Structures are given as structure tokens and as C-alpha cells.
């Protein structure tokens, strides 16, 4: 029997989220932002290359990666993943 599209979509979103709570996603997002900022500083002062235009886009993409799956699961299931309310 074939699953419907919504069930398959939510299953894939749960796999992308990997059981992370919203707090784990926020912590990982802050770590990624810190690493991107550090890489930008190294490139700016060490290599004399300004990557600010790229870092801004990468931070935006990482925000989608870390916060969109919990938001979709919260809207679809009525609860946050990872035991949150």
C-alpha cells in the first residue's frame, strides 16, 4: 500500500530533524554562526578576502536548515520535536 504525500513528507522532515529539540537546533545554529564568523575573520585578515556577502547567505540557509523542520513538525503534529511542548 502506498503512503500519501503528507505522511512521506513528514517522515522525511523527521529524518532531516534527526530528533533534535529546538534548544539543540538553536545551540547548533549558534556554533555554526560562530564558525562562519571565525572563517570570515581568518579570510579577511589572513588572506585579505572579504566573504561577508557569502557568510550572510550561508547564515540564512543554516537558519532554514535548523529551524524550518521543527517548525513544520510543530505545525503538522501540534508539538515540538525532542520532547518539547
Amino acid at each position: 500500500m502506498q503512503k500519501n504525500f503528507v505522511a512521506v513528507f513528514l517522515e522525511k522532515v523527521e529524518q532531516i530533524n534527526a530528533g533534535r529539540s529546538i534548544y539543540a537546533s538553536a545551540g547548533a545554529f549558534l556554533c555554526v554562526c560562530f564558525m562562519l564568523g571565525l572563517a570570515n575573520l581568518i579570510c579577511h585578515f589572513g588572506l585579505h578576502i572579504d566573504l561577508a556577502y557569502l557568510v550572510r547567505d550561508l547564515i540564512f540557509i543554516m537558519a532554514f536548515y535548523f529551524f524550518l523542520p521543527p517548525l513544520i513538525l510543530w505545525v503538522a503534529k501540534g508539538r515540538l520535536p525532542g520532547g518539547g511542548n
Side-chain angles (χ1 to χ4, degrees):
M1 189 167 131
Q2 190 176 8
K3 294 183 181 179
N4 62 1
F5 174 76
V6 175
V8 172
F9 178 74
L10 288 176
E11 184 178 319
K12 291 297 179 186
V13 170
E14 285 179 357
Q15 289 175 357
I16 291 170
N17 193 45
R20 287 188 309 265
S21 69
I22 194 72
Y23 301 116
S25 292
F29 177 69
L30 289 176
C31 288
V32 168
C33 287
F34 176 75
M35 288 188 293
L36 286 172
L38 190 60
N40 187 31
L41 286 175
I42 290 171
C43 287
H44 181 71
F45 292 112
L47 302 174
H48 304 291
I49 300 171
D50 187 24
L51 296 177
Y53 67 95
L54 184 61
V55 171
R56 184 175 42 244
D57 293 341
L58 288 174
I59 288 176
F60 189 71
I61 292 168
M62 286 294 103
F64 271 124
Y65 174 76
F66 283 116
F67 295 117
L68 196 60
L71 178 67
I72 291 171
L73 292 173
W74 180 46
V75 169
K77 293 188 173 188
R79 61 179 171 82
L80 285 172
N85 221 2

